[in-house]
Amino acid sequence: MRPFRYERANDVSGAVALLAGTPNGAFLGGGTNLVDLMRLDVARPELLVDVRRLTSDRIEELPDGRVRVGAAVPNSDLAADPLIRARYPAVSEALLSGASGQLRNLATTGGNLLQRTRCVYFQNVSTPCNKRDPGAGCSAIDGHHWDLAILGASEACVATHPSDLAVALVALDAVVLTEGADGERRIPITELHRLPDREPHRDTILQHGELITAVELPPLPWATRSRYRKVRDRASYAFALVSAVVVLDTADGVVRDVRIGLGGVAHRPWRALVAEQALRGGPATEERFRQAAEAELAAARPLPGNAFKVRLARNTLVRTLLDVNEGRR
Amino acid sequence: MVDVEVSLRVDGTDHRLTVDTRTSVLDALRERLGNTSPKKGCDHGQCGACTVLLDGRRVNSCLALAVAHDGATVVTAAGLAPAGQLHPMQACFIRHDAFQCGYCTPGQIVSAVAMLAEAAAGWPSAVTADGAGRGGGAVVLDDDEIRERMSGNLCRCAAYANIVPAVAEMARR
Ligand SMILES: Cc1cc2nc3c(=O)[nH]c(=O)nc-3n(C[C@H](O)[C@H](O)[C@H](O)COP(=O)(O)OP(=O)(O)OC[C@H]3O[C@@H](n4cnc5c(N)ncnc54)[C@H](O)[C@@H]3O)c2cc1C
Ligand code: SF4
Ligand code: FES
Ligand code: FES
C-alpha cells in the first residue's frame, strides 16, 4: 500500500474543502472497499478524509413520512432497524443478503452505494482496464464473462455494480443528499450511477469531493409488500450473479402499481421501467410476469460466457413477483 | 511514511503506539502489540480469521485502519475470558472438536460470541422469518441461522460440521 495522509474534519464543509484541495484524495467510510482496493494498489489516494464520524449515524422519520438515513449508518443497523424492516423490508433483505456480519458492522450507507465494481480485471493491476486506467482497454470483454453485464454495457466496459442495497433503493426511488464545493444537491438515486459509455472510470455523476450526507426514502405505504431475491454461486457471502427487487401493489388480482430493480446485470443498479409499464393495470398472473420480464430483457446483449444470465434474470424476476404477489417471503 | 499516534485498549490493557497510517488494526495487534490471537488469512475481508470485537462489534480487523479507530476498545479471542480461564464459547468449541488446524478458530469464536449478542438484540439475518425479533425480542437460532450468520468465517479445514453444533450448544444456553 502506498503512503497516505489521514485527516478528520470538524464538519461537512471542512471535509469537502479538504478534498477539494487534493485531487488525488478520497473520503473514507468503513474502509471495507477502499482499504481493500488500496492494498491491491487499485486505489492510490495520497489523502484520506475520514467521514465515518462526520455525517449522521441516525435513521429518522421526517414529519411528512420520509425516512432519512444518515450516510454513516452502518449496514447492520440499517438492516436491523424496526422502521426500515416494517416499511421497506426489501432494503433490509438486500443488505442482509450482502457481505458478512463483520463487514456490515464496518460498512456505511454512503460507502455501500459508492463501492466499486468486483470485475476481477479491475481489481488486478496487471490486467488492462478502462475503468482503472482510461484508454488502456478492457480485459474482461475477451476474458471470463460469468459476472459481467448483460444490459447497458459499452465497448469500453462490461462491468456490473456490486451493491445489493443500491438495487433496493433504486426501486424505491430513494434520494441521495450530497454536499460539495458547489453546495448541496438532492440526487434521485436512479440518476446517481452511470452507464459506462466511453467514460467507465466514472461510476457516478458525483463531482470530486462531493460527500454523500444522507439517503432519503420517500413515503410509499405499499412498500411493505416488497422483497429482494439474490442468486449467486454459493448460498451466502457472495456477490449477486443476478438479483431482483419487487415492490407490488395489487387489488382484485390487478397490478395497480409496481416497482422493479435488477442487480448484477448492469454497470448501475437497474430500474426495470419497461417491465413495470408492461405490468401496470394488467392481471397479476405468472404469464404476465414472464412477459414483462422478457420485455425488459429484450434489450439484453450478453457476452458468450454469460448468456445464461438472461434466463436467470427472467426467472429470478418472475419468481420474486410471484413471491410478493402471493405474500411469500 | 506518515506516522500517527493512536491509543487502543486491547483485551483490557491500554496501549499508546506510533503507527504508519497504513497499519490495519490487525497488524497493530499482531506486529506491534504481539497479540497473535487474530489471524491474517486473506487481508481482504474475505475469510474472517481476523475477526475481533471493535467497540463491542465484530469486524474484520484487516480492513479497519488503526488510525481511523484511535481510542477504540478491542477484544480478541485471547481476551474474551480472564487470563487462564476459558470463555464458555471456547469450551463449546473444545467439547465439539470444532477445529482441525485451528487457524480460523479465534475468528470463529469471536464472531460466534458477537453473533449471539446480535441475535439476542433482535437483529435479523437473511434467513430470519418475516418480523422475527422486530419488536426487540431475540431471534431463535436454528442451524440455518447459525450457518448464515457465521458465513463470514471460512474454515479451510471445513470443520463446519462441528462448528455449527458447538455454536448451537452455546445458543441454547
Ligand atoms: C468479502 C466481501 C464481500 C462483500 N459482499 C458484498 C455483497 O454481497 N453485496 C454488497 O452489496 N456488498 C458486498 N461487499 C461490499 C461492501 O458492502 C462494501 O465494501 C461496503 O458497503 C462499503 O462501505 P464502506 O463504508 O466500508 O466504504 P469505503 O470502503 O469506506 O468507501 C467506498 C467508497 O465510497 C467512498 N465514500 C465512502 N463514504 C462516502 C460518503 N459519505 N460520501 C462520498 N463518498 C464516500 C469512498 O471514498 C470509496 O470510494 C463485500 C465486501 C467484501 C470485502
Ligand atoms: S469490464 Fe470494465 S472494470 Fe472490467 S476490465 Fe473491462 S473496463 Fe475494467
Ligand atoms: S484476514 Fe481479515 S478477513 Fe481474512
Ligand atoms: S480449523 Fe483449520 S481453517 Fe478452520
Side-chain angles (χ1 to χ4, degrees), chain A residues 129-158:
Chain A
C129 165
N130 287 324
K131 187 180 276 301
R132 209 180 53 235
D133 185 8
C138 169
S139 300
I141 289 179
D142 294 320
H144 184 63
H145 297 156
W146 197 246
D147 51 1
L148 300 177
I150 55 172
L151 288 163
S154 70
E155 267 166 34
C157 179
V158 287

Side-chain angles (χ1 to χ4, degrees), chain A residues 138 141 148-160 194-198 200 265-268 270 299-303 306:
Chain A
C138 169
I141 289 179
L148 300 177
I150 55 172
L151 288 163
S154 70
E155 267 166 34
C157 179
V158 287
T160 56
R194 297 177 64 256
L195 287 179
D197 299 321
R198 262 180 243 111
V265 294
H267 192 262
R268 69 178 185 210
W270 192 262
R301 298 286 174 272
L303 296 156
N306 69 1

Side-chain angles (χ1 to χ4, degrees), chain A residues 56-108:
Chain A
S56 166
D57 59 359
R58 294 188 32 221
I59 300 166
E60 50 191 338
E61 189 179 0
L62 305 182
D64 63 2
R66 280 176 293 163
V67 175
R68 185 180 289 166
V69 180
V73 172
N75 288 179
S76 328
D77 297 54
L78 186 56
D81 187 77
L83 190 66
I84 297 293
R85 289 181 72 194
R87 295 215 192 146
Y88 311 100
V91 170
S92 177
E93 289 175 10
L95 283 163
L96 293 172
S97 77
S100 66
Q102 291 96 310
L103 288 161
R104 293 192 295 268
N105 276 339
L106 276 175
T108 62

Side-chain angles (χ1 to χ4, degrees), chain A residues 89-90 93 222-229 244-251 255 257-261 279 284 289 316-329, chain B residues 130:
Chain A
E93 289 175 10
W222 47 282
T224 52
R225 288 185 74 201
S226 66
R227 85 154 291 189
Y228 187 77
R229 175 182 279 268
V245 57
V246 167
V247 191
L248 184 65
D249 184 20
T250 55
V255 176
D257 208 348
V258 61
R259 306 276 181 78
I260 299 170
L279 287 170
F289 293 165
T316 305
L317 177 51
V318 171
R319 170 54 55 193
T320 315
L321 281 160
L322 286 168
D323 285 350
V324 179
N325 189 43
E326 290 158 26
R328 261 198 314 267
R329 186 167 172 274
Chain B
D130 257 349

Side-chain angles (χ1 to χ4, degrees), chain A residues 166-189:
Chain A
V167 181
L169 295 183
V170 157
L172 291 164
D173 277 324
V175 177
V176 177
L177 279 60
T178 69
E179 187 167 334
D182 299 333
E184 298 179 19
R185 286 209 275 177
R186 298 177 56 88
I187 304 169
I189 192 167

Side-chain angles (χ1 to χ4, degrees), chain A residues 290-302:
Chain A
R290 191 174 320 102
Q291 287 166 356
E294 277 166 0
E296 185 71 45
L297 291 160
R301 298 286 174 272

